[in-house]
Amino acid sequence: MRRHFFHSTVFKIAALMFSVSFLAIVSMLRSVFISDGAQSDAHAVNVAGSLRMQSYRIVSHLHQISAMPDQRQIDKIQSLIAGFEKDLTSGILANQQAVLNSSELADLHHRVESFWFGQMKPRFNAHLSAAMSDRQDINQPVQQFVTMIDNLVVSYQHHAESNISTIRLIQSLALFSTLILIAFAMLIVNRHIEQPLSRLTHVAQQIGRGDFTVKADESGN
């Protein structure tokens, strides 16, 4: 009896409907999970891109300081440096490094951090405290630093585009698989329900006309 049930039309259709529902739920959950990651990527792109502007702002204020900068100028530049460092080492960029498995992103972020702490921040502080005649040109290292930030931004953009492409692929595969399952279900209904019922209906009509010699050779669960 159990074996007949598993081979029955009702069980086949129920299994197909369950498969369609399960496929839809899994694809939606996966898409939602990746969409959340894509939103974080967009935020990371914005923050990483803002690092370029912050670098230029620091340089601009450094160029504007006088030979003997007053405390207000010093506080402003130190505030800009602290804000840059906060965006670089904490917040969304730090969170992305913790959740992403991209070695390229991690390497680029580490290089930017190393260059900041090893080169840029000491240069900014030295420029701020040095006498006018002893101040070194900081434009060239800043351009090098901004180029590194550009590479980091591009890497985040590629990661975000990859997430979007993954979402499209999941949705396409889910749609294609669903159409195949629906077509298979319609084939089962046609072969095991519609056609036998049509033959039974024809036999019933013949019997109704008084022809009791007709037979319906139908069997199944």
Side-chain angles (χ1 to χ4, degrees):
M1 182 66 181
R2 180 176 297 179
R3 186 181 64 180
H4 290 318
F5 172 75
F6 287 125
H7 288 84
S8 68
T9 302
V10 173
F11 175 78
K12 293 177 181 178
I13 295 177
L16 286 171
M17 294 301 101
F18 174 80
S19 299
V20 170
S21 301
F22 179 78
L23 182 63
I25 293 173
V26 170
S27 62
M28 285 189 293
L29 290 177
R30 184 60 178 167
S31 297
V32 168
F33 177 77
I34 297 178
S35 297
D36 290 339
Q39 292 178 353
S40 298
D41 289 336
H43 188 193
V45 169
N46 291 333
V47 174
S50 73
L51 295 179
R52 294 175 294 195
M53 178 195 67
Q54 293 183 62
S55 299
Y56 287 129
R57 286 184 64 189
I58 295 172
V59 173
S60 175
H61 280 78
L62 284 172
H63 285 325
Q64 293 173 12
I65 62 175
S66 57
M68 295 295 293
D70 57 35
Q71 190 61 42
R72 185 172 59 86
Q73 289 178 311
I74 295 176
D75 290 343
K76 177 63 177 178
I77 294 174
Q78 288 180 342
S79 175
L80 292 175
I81 292 175
F84 180 96
E85 192 167 307
K86 179 181 179 181
D87 287 342
L88 178 63
T89 60
S90 61
I92 185 64
L93 296 185
N95 292 337
Q96 288 294 88
Q97 300 310 308
V99 301
L100 294 179
N101 295 321
S102 173
S103 57
E104 179 185 2
L105 269 173
D107 180 63
L108 287 172
H109 190 270
H110 177 70
R111 288 168 58 191
V112 170
E113 276 194 356
S114 298
F115 199 85
W116 166 256
F117 287 108
Q119 298 288 333
M120 297 313 305
K121 187 177 180 181
R123 284 177 181 269
F124 288 157
N125 289 331
H127 189 91
L128 185 61
S129 60
M132 181 70 74
S133 59
D134 296 332
R135 290 173 184 169
Q136 299 178 353
D137 179 58
I138 58 176
N139 291 328
Q140 183 176 355
V142 167
Q143 290 299 329
Q144 182 181 355
F145 186 55
V146 168
T147 300
M148 296 173 64
I149 295 175
D150 286 337
N151 293 334
L152 180 64
V153 173
V154 170
S155 184
Y156 273 118
Q157 289 174 337
H158 288 166
H159 191 270
E161 292 168 358
S162 176
N163 278 340
I164 294 174
S165 299
T166 302
I167 292 175
R168 290 175 179 170
L169 178 62
I170 290 174
Q171 292 176 341
S172 299
L173 291 176
L175 177 61
F176 182 71
S177 301
T178 300
L179 292 176
I180 291 178
L181 291 174
I182 291 175
F184 191 45
M186 293 175 64
L187 179 64
I188 291 177
V189 170
N190 178 266
R191 178 176 298 178
H192 297 283
I193 297 179
E194 183 179 358
Q195 291 181 10
L197 283 178
S198 296
R199 289 191 288 267
L200 288 173
T201 300
H202 176 71
V203 169
Q205 290 172 347
Q206 292 296 100
I207 293 175
R209 296 189 186 100
D211 183 3
F212 296 100
T213 61
V214 294
K215 290 184 177 181
D217 187 17
E218 300 295 341
S219 63
N221 298 301

PDB file of all heavy atoms in Angstrom, residues 22-56:
ATOM      1  N   PHE A  22       9.737  24.943  -2.110  1.00  0.00           N
ATOM      2  CA  PHE A  22      11.043  24.928  -1.449  1.00  0.00           C
ATOM      3  C   PHE A  22      12.067  25.716  -2.252  1.00  0.00           C
ATOM      4  O   PHE A  22      12.862  26.485  -1.694  1.00  0.00           O
ATOM      5  CB  PHE A  22      11.501  23.475  -1.279  1.00  0.00           C
ATOM      6  CG  PHE A  22      12.847  23.333  -0.623  1.00  0.00           C
ATOM      7  CD1 PHE A  22      12.982  23.482   0.754  1.00  0.00           C
ATOM      8  CD2 PHE A  22      13.981  23.057  -1.379  1.00  0.00           C
ATOM      9  CE1 PHE A  22      14.224  23.357   1.363  1.00  0.00           C
ATOM     10  CE2 PHE A  22      15.224  22.927  -0.780  1.00  0.00           C
ATOM     11  CZ  PHE A  22      15.346  23.074   0.599  1.00  0.00           C
ATOM     12  N   LEU A  23      12.046  25.548  -3.558  1.00  0.00           N
ATOM     13  CA  LEU A  23      12.978  26.262  -4.430  1.00  0.00           C
ATOM     14  C   LEU A  23      12.744  27.768  -4.332  1.00  0.00           C
ATOM     15  O   LEU A  23      13.706  28.555  -4.268  1.00  0.00           O
ATOM     16  CB  LEU A  23      12.808  25.788  -5.872  1.00  0.00           C
ATOM     17  CG  LEU A  23      13.734  26.406  -6.919  1.00  0.00           C
ATOM     18  CD1 LEU A  23      15.181  26.058  -6.619  1.00  0.00           C
ATOM     19  CD2 LEU A  23      13.349  25.919  -8.310  1.00  0.00           C
ATOM     20  N   ALA A  24      11.475  28.186  -4.314  1.00  0.00           N
ATOM     21  CA  ALA A  24      11.167  29.611  -4.223  1.00  0.00           C
ATOM     22  C   ALA A  24      11.640  30.202  -2.893  1.00  0.00           C
ATOM     23  O   ALA A  24      12.215  31.292  -2.852  1.00  0.00           O
ATOM     24  CB  ALA A  24       9.663  29.824  -4.393  1.00  0.00           C
ATOM     25  N   ILE A  25      11.398  29.464  -1.810  1.00  0.00           N
ATOM     26  CA  ILE A  25      11.800  29.958  -0.480  1.00  0.00           C
ATOM     27  C   ILE A  25      13.320  30.068  -0.374  1.00  0.00           C
ATOM     28  O   ILE A  25      13.852  31.075   0.103  1.00  0.00           O
ATOM     29  CB  ILE A  25      11.240  29.039   0.624  1.00  0.00           C
ATOM     30  CG1 ILE A  25       9.713  29.143   0.672  1.00  0.00           C
ATOM     31  CG2 ILE A  25      11.832  29.410   1.982  1.00  0.00           C
ATOM     32  CD1 ILE A  25       9.062  28.150   1.615  1.00  0.00           C
ATOM     33  N   VAL A  26      14.027  29.028  -0.833  1.00  0.00           N
ATOM     34  CA  VAL A  26      15.488  29.047  -0.750  1.00  0.00           C
ATOM     35  C   VAL A  26      16.074  30.176  -1.588  1.00  0.00           C
ATOM     36  O   VAL A  26      16.975  30.900  -1.147  1.00  0.00           O
ATOM     37  CB  VAL A  26      16.064  27.688  -1.202  1.00  0.00           C
ATOM     38  CG1 VAL A  26      17.570  27.767  -1.369  1.00  0.00           C
ATOM     39  CG2 VAL A  26      15.707  26.609  -0.201  1.00  0.00           C
ATOM     40  N   SER A  27      15.560  30.353  -2.803  1.00  0.00           N
ATOM     41  CA  SER A  27      16.087  31.404  -3.677  1.00  0.00           C
ATOM     42  C   SER A  27      15.806  32.789  -3.098  1.00  0.00           C
ATOM     43  O   SER A  27      16.662  33.684  -3.169  1.00  0.00           O
ATOM     44  CB  SER A  27      15.482  31.295  -5.075  1.00  0.00           C
ATOM     45  OG  SER A  27      14.078  31.478  -5.044  1.00  0.00           O
ATOM     46  N   MET A  28      14.623  32.973  -2.482  1.00  0.00           N
ATOM     47  CA  MET A  28      14.310  34.275  -1.885  1.00  0.00           C
ATOM     48  C   MET A  28      15.194  34.558  -0.680  1.00  0.00           C
ATOM     49  O   MET A  28      15.710  35.678  -0.531  1.00  0.00           O
ATOM     50  CB  MET A  28      12.827  34.324  -1.484  1.00  0.00           C
ATOM     51  CG  MET A  28      11.876  34.486  -2.647  1.00  0.00           C
ATOM     52  SD  MET A  28      10.165  34.792  -2.130  1.00  0.00           S
ATOM     53  CE  MET A  28       9.772  33.230  -1.362  1.00  0.00           C
ATOM     54  N   LEU A  29      15.377  33.554   0.175  1.00  0.00           N
ATOM     55  CA  LEU A  29      16.231  33.752   1.346  1.00  0.00           C
ATOM     56  C   LEU A  29      17.670  34.049   0.940  1.00  0.00           C
ATOM     57  O   LEU A  29      18.323  34.926   1.515  1.00  0.00           O
ATOM     58  CB  LEU A  29      16.179  32.508   2.246  1.00  0.00           C
ATOM     59  CG  LEU A  29      14.867  32.257   2.987  1.00  0.00           C
ATOM     60  CD1 LEU A  29      14.942  30.952   3.770  1.00  0.00           C
ATOM     61  CD2 LEU A  29      14.538  33.414   3.929  1.00  0.00           C
ATOM     62  N   ARG A  30      18.157  33.320  -0.047  1.00  0.00           N
ATOM     63  CA  ARG A  30      19.524  33.543  -0.515  1.00  0.00           C
ATOM     64  C   ARG A  30      19.665  34.940  -1.133  1.00  0.00           C
ATOM     65  O   ARG A  30      20.672  35.624  -0.912  1.00  0.00           O
ATOM     66  CB  ARG A  30      19.887  32.468  -1.540  1.00  0.00           C
ATOM     67  CG  ARG A  30      21.332  32.540  -2.044  1.00  0.00           C
ATOM     68  CD  ARG A  30      22.318  32.387  -0.916  1.00  0.00           C
ATOM     69  NE  ARG A  30      23.693  32.412  -1.408  1.00  0.00           N
ATOM     70  CZ  ARG A  30      24.748  32.544  -0.643  1.00  0.00           C
ATOM     71  NH1 ARG A  30      24.605  32.671   0.674  1.00  0.00           N
ATOM     72  NH2 ARG A  30      25.958  32.546  -1.160  1.00  0.00           N
ATOM     73  N   SER A  31      18.657  35.354  -1.900  1.00  0.00           N
ATOM     74  CA  SER A  31      18.706  36.678  -2.515  1.00  0.00           C
ATOM     75  C   SER A  31      18.671  37.780  -1.464  1.00  0.00           C
ATOM     76  O   SER A  31      19.379  38.787  -1.578  1.00  0.00           O
ATOM     77  CB  SER A  31      17.528  36.844  -3.489  1.00  0.00           C
ATOM     78  OG  SER A  31      17.616  35.926  -4.555  1.00  0.00           O
ATOM     79  N   VAL A  32      17.846  37.586  -0.419  1.00  0.00           N
ATOM     80  CA  VAL A  32      17.775  38.580   0.651  1.00  0.00           C
ATOM     81  C   VAL A  32      19.108  38.684   1.374  1.00  0.00           C
ATOM     82  O   VAL A  32      19.595  39.783   1.673  1.00  0.00           O
ATOM     83  CB  VAL A  32      16.652  38.220   1.646  1.00  0.00           C
ATOM     84  CG1 VAL A  32      16.744  39.067   2.917  1.00  0.00           C
ATOM     85  CG2 VAL A  32      15.287  38.417   0.996  1.00  0.00           C
ATOM     86  N   PHE A  33      19.729  37.534   1.628  1.00  0.00           N
ATOM     87  CA  PHE A  33      21.032  37.529   2.323  1.00  0.00           C
ATOM     88  C   PHE A  33      22.090  38.255   1.497  1.00  0.00           C
ATOM     89  O   PHE A  33      22.855  39.074   2.021  1.00  0.00           O
ATOM     90  CB  PHE A  33      21.455  36.082   2.574  1.00  0.00           C
ATOM     91  CG  PHE A  33      22.804  35.944   3.219  1.00  0.00           C
ATOM     92  CD1 PHE A  33      22.973  36.186   4.580  1.00  0.00           C
ATOM     93  CD2 PHE A  33      23.918  35.594   2.468  1.00  0.00           C
ATOM     94  CE1 PHE A  33      24.220  36.067   5.174  1.00  0.00           C
ATOM     95  CE2 PHE A  33      25.165  35.473   3.041  1.00  0.00           C
ATOM     96  CZ  PHE A  33      25.315  35.713   4.410  1.00  0.00           C
ATOM     97  N   ILE A  34      22.132  37.977   0.197  1.00  0.00           N
ATOM     98  CA  ILE A  34      23.123  38.630  -0.660  1.00  0.00           C
ATOM     99  C   ILE A  34      22.795  40.104  -0.829  1.00  0.00           C
ATOM    100  O   ILE A  34      23.703  40.944  -0.909  1.00  0.00           O
ATOM    101  CB  ILE A  34      23.188  37.919  -2.021  1.00  0.00           C
ATOM    102  CG1 ILE A  34      23.653  36.473  -1.832  1.00  0.00           C
ATOM    103  CG2 ILE A  34      24.134  38.644  -2.972  1.00  0.00           C
ATOM    104  CD1 ILE A  34      23.692  35.676  -3.115  1.00  0.00           C
ATOM    105  N   SER A  35      21.502  40.456  -0.866  1.00  0.00           N
ATOM    106  CA  SER A  35      21.108  41.866  -0.987  1.00  0.00           C
ATOM    107  C   SER A  35      21.581  42.670   0.211  1.00  0.00           C
ATOM    108  O   SER A  35      22.024  43.816   0.065  1.00  0.00           O
ATOM    109  CB  SER A  35      19.588  41.981  -1.130  1.00  0.00           C
ATOM    110  OG  SER A  35      19.138  41.357  -2.312  1.00  0.00           O
ATOM    111  N   ASP A  36      21.484  42.081   1.404  1.00  0.00           N
ATOM    112  CA  ASP A  36      22.003  42.768   2.592  1.00  0.00           C
ATOM    113  C   ASP A  36      23.501  43.022   2.455  1.00  0.00           C
ATOM    114  O   ASP A  36      24.001  44.098   2.818  1.00  0.00           O
ATOM    115  CB  ASP A  36      21.725  41.935   3.848  1.00  0.00           C
ATOM    116  CG  ASP A  36      20.247  41.902   4.199  1.00  0.00           C
ATOM    117  OD1 ASP A  36      19.516  42.804   3.738  1.00  0.00           O
ATOM    118  OD2 ASP A  36      19.821  40.984   4.923  1.00  0.00           O
ATOM    119  N   GLY A  37      24.211  42.031   1.939  1.00  0.00           N
ATOM    120  CA  GLY A  37      25.647  42.213   1.718  1.00  0.00           C
ATOM    121  C   GLY A  37      25.934  43.276   0.678  1.00  0.00           C
ATOM    122  O   GLY A  37      26.893  44.049   0.803  1.00  0.00           O
ATOM    123  N   ALA A  38      25.081  43.351  -0.374  1.00  0.00           N
ATOM    124  CA  ALA A  38      25.274  44.357  -1.415  1.00  0.00           C
ATOM    125  C   ALA A  38      25.072  45.765  -0.858  1.00  0.00           C
ATOM    126  O   ALA A  38      25.766  46.708  -1.251  1.00  0.00           O
ATOM    127  CB  ALA A  38      24.312  44.097  -2.576  1.00  0.00           C
ATOM    128  N   GLN A  39      24.107  45.927   0.056  1.00  0.00           N
ATOM    129  CA  GLN A  39      23.911  47.232   0.693  1.00  0.00           C
ATOM    130  C   GLN A  39      25.134  47.629   1.505  1.00  0.00           C
ATOM    131  O   GLN A  39      25.555  48.797   1.485  1.00  0.00           O
ATOM    132  CB  GLN A  39      22.665  47.200   1.575  1.00  0.00           C
ATOM    133  CG  GLN A  39      21.363  47.075   0.796  1.00  0.00           C
ATOM    134  CD  GLN A  39      20.152  47.005   1.702  1.00  0.00           C
ATOM    135  OE1 GLN A  39      20.280  46.912   2.918  1.00  0.00           O
ATOM    136  NE2 GLN A  39      18.968  47.050   1.109  1.00  0.00           N
ATOM    137  N   SER A  40      25.724  46.674   2.210  1.00  0.00           N
ATOM    138  CA  SER A  40      26.947  46.964   2.966  1.00  0.00           C
ATOM    139  C   SER A  40      28.086  47.332   2.028  1.00  0.00           C
ATOM    140  O   SER A  40      28.898  48.214   2.334  1.00  0.00           O
ATOM    141  CB  SER A  40      27.330  45.748   3.816  1.00  0.00           C
ATOM    142  OG  SER A  40      26.321  45.448   4.765  1.00  0.00           O
ATOM    143  N   ASP A  41      28.142  46.655   0.876  1.00  0.00           N
ATOM    144  CA  ASP A  41      29.180  46.980  -0.102  1.00  0.00           C
ATOM    145  C   ASP A  41      29.020  48.407  -0.605  1.00  0.00           C
ATOM    146  O   ASP A  41      30.013  49.129  -0.772  1.00  0.00           O
ATOM    147  CB  ASP A  41      29.115  46.010  -1.288  1.00  0.00           C
ATOM    148  CG  ASP A  41      29.573  44.615  -0.920  1.00  0.00           C
ATOM    149  OD1 ASP A  41      30.339  44.484   0.049  1.00  0.00           O
ATOM    150  OD2 ASP A  41      29.154  43.656  -1.589  1.00  0.00           O
ATOM    151  N   ALA A  42      27.781  48.822  -0.864  1.00  0.00           N
ATOM    152  CA  ALA A  42      27.541  50.185  -1.335  1.00  0.00           C
ATOM    153  C   ALA A  42      27.981  51.207  -0.292  1.00  0.00           C
ATOM    154  O   ALA A  42      28.587  52.237  -0.626  1.00  0.00           O
ATOM    155  CB  ALA A  42      26.061  50.364  -1.669  1.00  0.00           C
ATOM    156  N   HIS A  43      27.680  50.923   0.971  1.00  0.00           N
ATOM    157  CA  HIS A  43      28.115  51.815   2.055  1.00  0.00           C
ATOM    158  C   HIS A  43      29.634  51.852   2.132  1.00  0.00           C
ATOM    159  O   HIS A  43      30.246  52.923   2.314  1.00  0.00           O
ATOM    160  CB  HIS A  43      27.519  51.340   3.376  1.00  0.00           C
ATOM    161  CG  HIS A  43      27.754  52.280   4.513  1.00  0.00           C
ATOM    162  ND1 HIS A  43      27.537  51.928   5.836  1.00  0.00           N
ATOM    163  CD2 HIS A  43      28.209  53.560   4.552  1.00  0.00           C
ATOM    164  CE1 HIS A  43      27.846  52.949   6.610  1.00  0.00           C
ATOM    165  NE2 HIS A  43      28.254  53.953   5.855  1.00  0.00           N
ATOM    166  N   ALA A  44      30.264  50.695   1.986  1.00  0.00           N
ATOM    167  CA  ALA A  44      31.725  50.632   2.039  1.00  0.00           C
ATOM    168  C   ALA A  44      32.341  51.414   0.887  1.00  0.00           C
ATOM    169  O   ALA A  44      33.374  52.083   1.060  1.00  0.00           O
ATOM    170  CB  ALA A  44      32.189  49.171   1.999  1.00  0.00           C
ATOM    171  N   VAL A  45      31.735  51.349  -0.296  1.00  0.00           N
ATOM    172  CA  VAL A  45      32.231  52.111  -1.442  1.00  0.00           C
ATOM    173  C   VAL A  45      32.173  53.603  -1.144  1.00  0.00           C
ATOM    174  O   VAL A  45      33.113  54.355  -1.434  1.00  0.00           O
ATOM    175  CB  VAL A  45      31.427  51.772  -2.715  1.00  0.00           C
ATOM    176  CG1 VAL A  45      31.750  52.757  -3.836  1.00  0.00           C
ATOM    177  CG2 VAL A  45      31.719  50.358  -3.166  1.00  0.00           C
ATOM    178  N   ASN A  46      31.059  54.050  -0.550  1.00  0.00           N
ATOM    179  CA  ASN A  46      30.920  55.474  -0.223  1.00  0.00           C
ATOM    180  C   ASN A  46      31.966  55.925   0.798  1.00  0.00           C
ATOM    181  O   ASN A  46      32.582  56.984   0.647  1.00  0.00           O
ATOM    182  CB  ASN A  46      29.516  55.756   0.314  1.00  0.00           C
ATOM    183  CG  ASN A  46      28.452  55.626  -0.748  1.00  0.00           C
ATOM    184  OD1 ASN A  46      28.730  55.820  -1.933  1.00  0.00           O
ATOM    185  ND2 ASN A  46      27.231  55.306  -0.350  1.00  0.00           N
ATOM    186  N   VAL A  47      32.143  55.124   1.840  1.00  0.00           N
ATOM    187  CA  VAL A  47      33.110  55.497   2.881  1.00  0.00           C
ATOM    188  C   VAL A  47      34.532  55.472   2.335  1.00  0.00           C
ATOM    189  O   VAL A  47      35.330  56.394   2.582  1.00  0.00           O
ATOM    190  CB  VAL A  47      32.983  54.562   4.101  1.00  0.00           C
ATOM    191  CG1 VAL A  47      34.085  54.847   5.115  1.00  0.00           C
ATOM    192  CG2 VAL A  47      31.616  54.720   4.755  1.00  0.00           C
ATOM    193  N   ALA A  48      34.865  54.409   1.578  1.00  0.00           N
ATOM    194  CA  ALA A  48      36.210  54.323   1.001  1.00  0.00           C
ATOM    195  C   ALA A  48      36.451  55.477   0.031  1.00  0.00           C
ATOM    196  O   ALA A  48      37.547  56.052  -0.011  1.00  0.00           O
ATOM    197  CB  ALA A  48      36.391  52.986   0.290  1.00  0.00           C
ATOM    198  N   GLY A  49      35.429  55.844  -0.738  1.00  0.00           N
ATOM    199  CA  GLY A  49      35.575  56.969  -1.644  1.00  0.00           C
ATOM    200  C   GLY A  49      35.763  58.282  -0.908  1.00  0.00           C
ATOM    201  O   GLY A  49      36.482  59.181  -1.383  1.00  0.00           O
ATOM    202  N   SER A  50      35.122  58.411   0.255  1.00  0.00           N
ATOM    203  CA  SER A  50      35.268  59.647   1.023  1.00  0.00           C
ATOM    204  C   SER A  50      36.677  59.814   1.581  1.00  0.00           C
ATOM    205  O   SER A  50      37.087  60.930   1.910  1.00  0.00           O
ATOM    206  CB  SER A  50      34.254  59.680   2.171  1.00  0.00           C
ATOM    207  OG  SER A  50      34.615  58.770   3.203  1.00  0.00           O
ATOM    208  N   LEU A  51      37.422  58.705   1.691  1.00  0.00           N
ATOM    209  CA  LEU A  51      38.798  58.807   2.189  1.00  0.00           C
ATOM    210  C   LEU A  51      39.658  59.663   1.257  1.00  0.00           C
ATOM    211  O   LEU A  51      40.582  60.346   1.707  1.00  0.00           O
ATOM    212  CB  LEU A  51      39.404  57.417   2.334  1.00  0.00           C
ATOM    213  CG  LEU A  51      38.766  56.496   3.383  1.00  0.00           C
ATOM    214  CD1 LEU A  51      39.454  55.137   3.387  1.00  0.00           C
ATOM    215  CD2 LEU A  51      38.827  57.114   4.770  1.00  0.00           C
ATOM    216  N   ARG A  52      39.371  59.610  -0.045  1.00  0.00           N
ATOM    217  CA  ARG A  52      40.115  60.439  -0.983  1.00  0.00           C
ATOM    218  C   ARG A  52      39.881  61.924  -0.695  1.00  0.00           C
ATOM    219  O   ARG A  52      40.832  62.721  -0.632  1.00  0.00           O
ATOM    220  CB  ARG A  52      39.706  60.106  -2.417  1.00  0.00           C
ATOM    221  CG  ARG A  52      40.082  58.710  -2.860  1.00  0.00           C
ATOM    222  CD  ARG A  52      39.560  58.381  -4.224  1.00  0.00           C
ATOM    223  NE  ARG A  52      38.098  58.321  -4.257  1.00  0.00           N
ATOM    224  CZ  ARG A  52      37.396  57.778  -5.238  1.00  0.00           C
ATOM    225  NH1 ARG A  52      38.025  57.255  -6.283  1.00  0.00           N
ATOM    226  NH2 ARG A  52      36.088  57.758  -5.206  1.00  0.00           N
ATOM    227  N   MET A  53      38.610  62.282  -0.542  1.00  0.00           N
ATOM    228  CA  MET A  53      38.287  63.677  -0.258  1.00  0.00           C
ATOM    229  C   MET A  53      38.898  64.124   1.064  1.00  0.00           C
ATOM    230  O   MET A  53      39.431  65.240   1.168  1.00  0.00           O
ATOM    231  CB  MET A  53      36.768  63.847  -0.200  1.00  0.00           C
ATOM    232  CG  MET A  53      36.301  65.261   0.135  1.00  0.00           C
ATOM    233  SD  MET A  53      34.555  65.316   0.614  1.00  0.00           S
ATOM    234  CE  MET A  53      34.601  64.425   2.172  1.00  0.00           C
ATOM    235  N   GLN A  54      38.846  63.247   2.072  1.00  0.00           N
ATOM    236  CA  GLN A  54      39.415  63.608   3.371  1.00  0.00           C
ATOM    237  C   GLN A  54      40.928  63.811   3.273  1.00  0.00           C
ATOM    238  O   GLN A  54      41.489  64.707   3.931  1.00  0.00           O
ATOM    239  CB  GLN A  54      39.093  62.525   4.399  1.00  0.00           C
ATOM    240  CG  GLN A  54      37.612  62.407   4.730  1.00  0.00           C
ATOM    241  CD  GLN A  54      37.359  61.357   5.803  1.00  0.00           C
ATOM    242  OE1 GLN A  54      37.837  61.467   6.926  1.00  0.00           O
ATOM    243  NE2 GLN A  54      36.601  60.326   5.454  1.00  0.00           N
ATOM    244  N   SER A  55      41.593  63.002   2.452  1.00  0.00           N
ATOM    245  CA  SER A  55      43.045  63.168   2.272  1.00  0.00           C
ATOM    246  C   SER A  55      43.355  64.541   1.686  1.00  0.00           C
ATOM    247  O   SER A  55      44.270  65.246   2.149  1.00  0.00           O
ATOM    248  CB  SER A  55      43.585  62.072   1.347  1.00  0.00           C
ATOM    249  OG  SER A  55      43.357  60.787   1.895  1.00  0.00           O
ATOM    250  N   TYR A  56      42.607  64.922   0.662  1.00  0.00           N
ATOM    251  CA  TYR A  56      42.841  66.219   0.028  1.00  0.00           C
ATOM    252  C   TYR A  56      42.501  67.372   0.974  1.00  0.00           C
ATOM    253  O   TYR A  56      43.151  68.432   0.934  1.00  0.00           O
ATOM    254  CB  TYR A  56      42.025  66.326  -1.255  1.00  0.00           C
ATOM    255  CG  TYR A  56      42.554  65.480  -2.391  1.00  0.00           C
ATOM    256  CD1 TYR A  56      41.723  64.618  -3.091  1.00  0.00           C
ATOM    257  CD2 TYR A  56      43.895  65.542  -2.760  1.00  0.00           C
ATOM    258  CE1 TYR A  56      42.204  63.849  -4.135  1.00  0.00           C
ATOM    259  CE2 TYR A  56      44.392  64.766  -3.802  1.00  0.00           C
ATOM    260  CZ  TYR A  56      43.539  63.919  -4.485  1.00  0.00           C
ATOM    261  OH  TYR A  56      44.025  63.145  -5.518  1.00  0.00           O
TER     262      TYR A  56
END
